Amino acid sequence: QVQLVESGGGLVQVGDSLRLSCAASGSSAAMGWFRQAPGKEREFVAVISWNALRIYYADSVKGRFSISRDNAKNSVYLQMNSLKPEDTAVYYCAAGRTVTVAASVFSSWGKGTQVTVSS
């Protein structure tokens, strides 16, 4: 397992952009982002493979969010554009050995960073 630390969350207005970062203590084949809104289950947002050849997004963020990684820095990023109130959630970084949308497959998790989109 690796240690993950997210940063970059905050309070923004509808339509604004925000970039989340996740620093890992080591390398992982797959890195992803999940989010959890109050009263809701944790949901998949995006995942990226080691070589960035496999990238998947949730339908709700496709075209607005972009995931990327810097293997030299053991980091993954989530660029979020055109933010909506429904994007409000705690965003979690996850790392694992398999590129998947299933949260249960990821072995390492960060503590999360709050993103609040105000209308």
Side-chain angles (χ1 to χ4, degrees):
Q1 291 187 351
V2 297
Q3 306 300 313
L4 303 172
V5 179
E6 304 96 334
S7 62
L11 173 63
V12 297
Q13 301 294 315
V14 170
D16 283 352
S17 297
L18 207 55
R19 187 184 191 227
L20 304 183
S21 299
C22 173
S25 60
S27 61
S28 293
M31 297 192 77
W33 288 96
F34 291 76
R35 66 186 183 186
Q36 187 167 18
K40 295 187 177 181
E41 294 186 353
R42 190 169 299 189
E43 65 173 1
F44 166 76
V45 175
V47 64
I48 185 171
S49 63
W50 170 264
N51 55 14
L53 292 181
R54 298 176 66 193
I55 293 177
Y56 302 104
Y57 296 100
D59 288 342
S60 59
V61 306
K62 201 171 295 183
R64 298 188 299 122
F65 290 12
S66 178
I67 189 172
S68 61
R69 65 187 294 167
D70 184 339
N71 294 331
K73 297 181 178 180
N74 289 328
S75 294
V76 64
Y77 309 97
L78 186 68
Q79 178 66 44
M80 306 185 294
N81 299 326
S82 302
L83 283 163
K84 305 176 180 179
E86 50 263 45
D87 294 320
T88 295
V90 177
Y91 283 71
Y92 297 90
C93 177
R97 300 175 64 180
T98 304
V99 176
T100 176
V101 303
S104 60
V105 178
F106 286 88
S107 56
S108 300
W109 291 85
K111 294 184 177 180
T113 185
Q114 176 71 47
V115 172
T116 303
V117 185
S118 173
S119 57

